[in-house]
Amino acid sequence: MNNSRRRFLQIAGVSALGLGAKPVLDAFAAGGGEGPGFHVARGEDALDAKQWAMVIDTRQLQSSADLEPIVEACHKVHNVPTTIVNKNHEIKWIWEAHYHNAFTDKTNPFLNESVEHRPFLLLCNHCENPPCVRACPTKATFKRERDGIVLMDFHRCIGCRFCMAACPFGARSFNFRDPRPFIQETNKQFPTRAKGVVEKCNFCAERLAVGKMPACVEASNGAIAFGDLYDEHSEVRELLKENYTIRRKQTLGTEPAVYYIV
Amino acid sequence: MLELAVKGNKWYWGWMVVLLGVIGAGFGLYLMQLKFGLGITGMSRDVSWGFYIANFTYLVGVAAGGVMVVLPFYLHDYKAYGKITILGEFLAIAAIVMCLLFILVDLGVPTRALNVLLYPTLNSVLFYDAIVLNGYLFLNLVIGWNVLEAERNGVHYQSWLKPLIYISIPWAVSIHTVTAYLYCGLPGRHFWLTAVLAPRFLASAFAAGPALLILLCLFIRRFTNFDPGRQQIQTLAKTVAYAICINVFFFLCEIFVAFYSQIPGHMDHIKYLFVGLHGHGVLVPWMWASMILMTVGIVLTVTPATRKNETSLAIACIVIIMGTWIDKGLGMISGGFVPNPMHEVNEYIPTLPEIGITLGVYAMGALVLTVLYKMAVGVKEEVHG
Ligand code: SF4
Ligand code: SF4
């Protein structure tokens, strides 16, 4: 039994005192940057970064068939309930969308045909300046200082859904009912959620902690690159240097860390 | 003073029994919601706040509206209001009780509600909202209770209350400002992303709160031996007239900005509400009804003849309460979520259990209000009667 993974996201002694002393303005400026002292137990070959980022080469993902295994890999490993019928209660961490839904501020009436018909992968952008973190009243959603991943503590979330209103990308899902009956095959290495809490993509923090790449990256046959945005020799930086990329709604200033090559 | 609330005629007790029945039914539905989850409501991944939060927002306004009698009395020494400040304060208490209940029933995990205080998060507006709402409840309880007791004993209220009273005035403004900040500081929700949201909330609050107060005054005069006074009601009516005009003015400012600039993100929500978007428009008739109701309200309260006639004034108050409720309750919240961030239109319609729970909360507020007003009116009857 891999203990390090089992202990993923266990709260190890939370002290609100230190945080209460932080000056208000500082807290505003930082967008509540500091997590409340969560510990993800890390294996010896844990991967590190200043800010994890993703570059999706959409040229290599031309059809739904290309996307399906990626979406499935993520949802399977994270116990995302995929058989909920009622659309209102849908839970999704990563999903497929049309260009004009993905890039609402970059839609031209006459678009390159291949782009127009190409499916795009949407997921949490792990924004560098995340409004969801700013909004959360309990720090259940927090930005991990160590590597910039926007994480969630399912045991602290009160289900107020303020983060859902705050996220401009529709990246968050709420458990409107007990999700467990709708999980096809439970992965015992990862927690299932209870009704009443919010969830979203976690950039596979639990896999990075043991030296593995995110599940979607692994399933993408090289179409998705993952690396440190602030390491100029990282794979993502190399790709960003060589290719023109776009991000979703970057004018809102949330600084998404997911880049798209079109 | 509580003993005043346990003496009543058969109408009083009948009303209490009805309220308890509605509360009981609402509570039963709430137990259902606890068991199943918020899935029994009409909310969705796209419209993640619905009826509960809408009514919460509206009632914060009603609570803040109470200050429209407190302020003239204490700051402008408008003596006539001395008779009815207590009604404003007690209305605020009942409204805040409902607000807190609406927040509670809206939480996915209500047992963890205290996490907001256990892990104070200074960058979250919800944290401040919790503080200002509870603070306002506390202030009104302390002030209302002590001033009323002093009046009963025929003495001047304690001098230490004075600073609290002064604090309560800007505090009333703060509760609705902070509540507006919940919405207007979110990037990517263009319908709410406007600096005029807090002022607009306040304007509609200062129309709806006093309008409700007028109706309550008319009721009290009719069915008890205490007369809140014609002059008082007329002054309140002028407040309502100004406030509802300003509310509609702010709304028209929004329309101008959206449709003169022609920025789609700004126009889409308003289009959805008033003409429908991509063939969806459940709220269209409601929104037009709201506009018509508020316009009728303006005509009736601004025209001296209809304002001075208490029957037409009562009608004006009813249409204003309905109009602002649709505007701020129904439209403001789901309008902000439709279309969603991917520009898809998924509509929201509250479900019956959701409406039942909402009615239960309202009945709870009515119960609190009835008990408080029974005491207030009892004291007034003793003193003035
Ligand atoms: S995409 Fe949404 S949920 Fe993810 S970090 Fe950005 S604001 Fe938060
Ligand atoms: S729903 Fe949970 S994670 Fe989202 S803002 Fe509320 S407490 Fe935070």
Side-chain angles (χ1 to χ4, degrees):
Chain A
M1 173 68 64
N2 190 332
N3 213 18
S4 62
R5 263 188 280 169
R6 246 194 31 207
R7 278 178 34 219
F8 170 61
L9 264 190
Q10 274 184 343
I11 311 168
V14 175
S15 153
L17 292 173
L19 288 152
K22 257 181 100 183
V24 180
L25 280 177
D26 180 34
F28 270 113
E34 218 156 298
F38 287 85
H39 283 250
V40 174
R42 304 203 297 153
E44 272 165 18
D45 21 67
L47 300 175
D48 270 318
K50 187 155 175 260
Q51 165 73 53
W52 287 114
M54 188 177 267
V55 177
I56 303 179
D57 187 349
T58 65
R59 295 168 305 188
Q60 297 185 44
L61 301 167
Q62 288 290 349
S63 69
S64 295
D66 296 336
L67 264 49
E68 244 165 54
I70 300 175
V71 173
E72 203 188 301
C74 164
H75 287 174
K76 213 167 157 184
V77 72
H78 293 120
N79 293 326
V80 173
T82 47
T83 56
I84 295 178
V85 193
N86 186 340
K87 268 290 256 178
N88 282 356
H89 304 163
E90 191 183 19
I91 310 264
K92 49 190 184 187
W93 285 27
I94 179 167
W95 70 100
E96 176 189 331
H98 291 296
Y99 177 87
H100 59 264
N101 296 117
F103 301 98
T104 50
D105 52 353
K106 292 184 256 296
T107 46
N108 296 340
F110 307 105
L111 205 63
N112 171 293
E113 274 195 6
S114 119
V115 172
E116 185 157 10
H117 300 298
R118 196 180 292 170
F120 287 79
L121 277 175
L122 302 188
L123 69 160
C124 168
N125 289 292
H126 296 272
C127 304
E128 288 188 69
N129 179 19
C132 56
V133 170
R134 202 151 55 227
C136 177
T138 63
K139 301 189 189 80
T141 284
F142 59 98
K143 187 160 179 74
R144 193 161 65 177
E145 294 242 304
R146 176 151 57 72
D147 58 5
I149 299 185
V150 174
L151 281 173
M152 281 210 55
D153 177 353
F154 303 123
H155 297 285
R156 187 186 282 194
C157 172
I158 58 175
C160 65
R161 310 188 297 294
F162 201 5
C163 54
M164 294 179 82
C167 171
F169 305 100
R172 295 177 160 264
S173 307
F174 179 72
N175 285 285
F176 280 99
R177 56 185 305 180
D178 182 7
R180 285 164 193 138
F182 303 96
I183 301 171
Q184 269 172 323
E185 202 184 310
T186 307
N187 170 17
K188 298 240 161 39
Q189 311 282 343
F190 196 80
T192 56
R193 274 74 66 193
K195 65 169 183 283
V197 299
V198 165
E199 60 180 80
K200 66 166 194 74
C201 153
N202 67 348
F203 257 8
C204 281
E206 83 284 6
R207 291 169 60 92
L208 296 171
V210 293
K212 289 192 199 161
M213 278 279 140
C216 59
V217 176
E218 219 166 63
S220 73
N221 283 324
I224 305 179
F226 194 75
D228 187 355
L229 191 60
Y230 290 99
D231 169 4
E232 57 174 324
H233 303 297
S234 70
E235 196 188 345
V236 295
R237 280 290 290 276
E238 292 296 337
L239 283 168
L240 293 179
K241 238 178 281 173
E242 284 159 23
N243 300 278
Y244 178 71
T245 50
I246 56 174
R247 291 184 292 167
R248 298 175 68 196
K249 301 187 183 178
Q250 81 276 35
T251 51
L252 296 180
T254 73
E255 298 298 337
V258 175
Y259 294 73
Y260 296 84
I261 303 175
V262 285
Chain B
M1 281 185 294
L2 266 177
E3 78 278 4
L4 292 170
V6 293
K7 282 183 290 189
N9 59 16
K10 66 173 193 293
W11 289 106
Y12 176 71
W13 289 112
W15 168 241
M16 292 303 243
V17 168
V18 169
L19 288 180
L20 286 172
V22 180
I23 292 170
F27 188 71
L29 289 167
Y30 181 63
L31 291 180
M32 235 174 84
Q33 178 182 299
L34 276 184
K35 192 151 184 287
F36 185 87
L38 279 163
I40 69 163
T41 70
M43 289 185 271
S44 63
R45 198 179 183 282
D46 288 327
V47 185
S48 44
W49 281 335
F51 221 46
Y52 301 148
I53 293 296
N55 281 296
F56 153 79
T57 310
Y58 188 76
L59 288 165
V60 174
V62 171
V67 80
M68 283 290 112
V69 288
V70 176
L71 186 149
F73 178 64
Y74 288 105
L75 290 192
H76 299 283
D77 203 22
Y78 180 63
K79 295 246 163 39
Y81 274 173
K83 254 173 134 180
I84 59 166
T85 45
I86 190 68
L87 300 183
E89 285 153 357
F90 279 178
L91 177 60
I93 292 174
I96 295 284
V97 166
M98 288 187 269
C99 290
L100 295 175
L101 285 173
F102 273 122
I103 290 284
L104 200 67
V105 299
D106 188 65
L107 290 185
V109 194
T111 46
R112 294 185 192 155
L114 280 182
N115 280 4
V116 175
L117 300 177
L118 293 176
Y119 311 106
T121 308
L122 301 182
N123 41 268
S124 175
V125 183
L126 207 61
F127 169 69
Y128 295 95
D129 213 29
I131 291 185
V132 292
L133 286 176
N134 284 298
Y136 194 58
L137 178 63
F138 172 79
L139 282 174
N140 278 292
L141 272 174
V142 172
I143 296 168
W145 190 272
N146 283 302
V147 171
L148 188 64
E149 192 145 72
E151 182 173 348
R152 188 181 197 191
N153 299 334
V155 294
H156 194 271
Y157 56 83
Q158 304 91 312
S159 55
W160 57 264
L161 277 177
K162 201 83 196 196
L164 291 187
I165 290 167
Y166 285 134
I167 290 172
S168 81
I169 293 169
W171 201 291
V173 178
S174 83
I175 61 169
H176 219 19
T177 305
V178 175
T179 302
Y181 285 0
L182 287 175
Y183 309 106
C184 69
L186 305 177
R189 304 282 179 188
H190 291 290
F191 189 54
W192 301 332
L193 192 69
T194 158
V196 88
L197 197 73
R200 188 173 157 204
F201 272 20
L202 285 166
S204 96
F206 294 156
L212 184 54
L213 215 46
I214 290 177
L215 292 177
L216 290 167
C217 285
L218 291 173
F219 178 88
I220 287 170
R221 171 198 287 160
R222 180 123 190 216
F223 294 101
T224 74
N225 295 324
F226 168 58
D227 180 7
R230 181 174 164 81
Q231 186 198 348
Q232 286 78 349
I233 290 174
Q234 283 303 313
T235 312
L236 269 177
K238 283 183 199 144
T239 305
V240 174
Y242 277 112
I244 188 70
C245 290
I246 296 171
N247 183 43
V248 172
F249 168 68
F250 283 156
F251 169 73
L252 294 175
C253 290
E254 293 279 11
I255 299 286
F256 172 79
V257 170
F259 288 89
Y260 195 81
S261 72
Q262 304 259 319
I263 297 173
H266 291 265
M267 294 189 296
D268 284 347
H269 299 276
I270 303 176
K271 278 190 191 159
Y272 165 68
L273 289 176
F274 285 92
V275 293
L277 197 67
H278 306 321
H280 299 276
V282 278
L283 288 176
V284 173
W286 290 90
M287 294 315 289
W288 285 107
S290 159
M291 287 301 129
I292 293 167
L293 290 167
M294 290 200 284
T295 312
V296 172
I298 288 178
V299 173
L300 290 179
T301 50
V302 170
T303 314
T306 44
R307 186 178 61 237
K308 286 181 184 141
N309 177 317
E310 284 183 350
T311 311
S312 48
L313 178 62
I315 295 170
C317 290
I318 292 170
V319 297
I320 285 171
I321 289 170
M322 284 173 17
T324 50
W325 182 82
I326 297 171
D327 174 36
K328 195 146 116 198
L330 274 187
M332 182 61 67
I333 304 307
S334 32
F337 283 112
V338 186
N340 77 1
M342 276 79 67
H343 276 200
E344 295 154 341
V345 178
N346 287 320
E347 295 191 286
Y348 161 79
I349 302 169
T351 58
L352 285 177
E354 195 175 3
I355 293 172
I357 292 171
T358 302
L359 290 178
V361 173
Y362 270 104
M364 190 69 169
L367 189 91
V368 171
L369 188 74
T370 308
V371 169
L372 291 175
Y373 270 31
K374 184 80 177 43
M375 290 182 342
V377 170
V379 169
K380 300 281 182 186
E381 283 174 340
E382 281 177 17
V383 177
H384 302 282

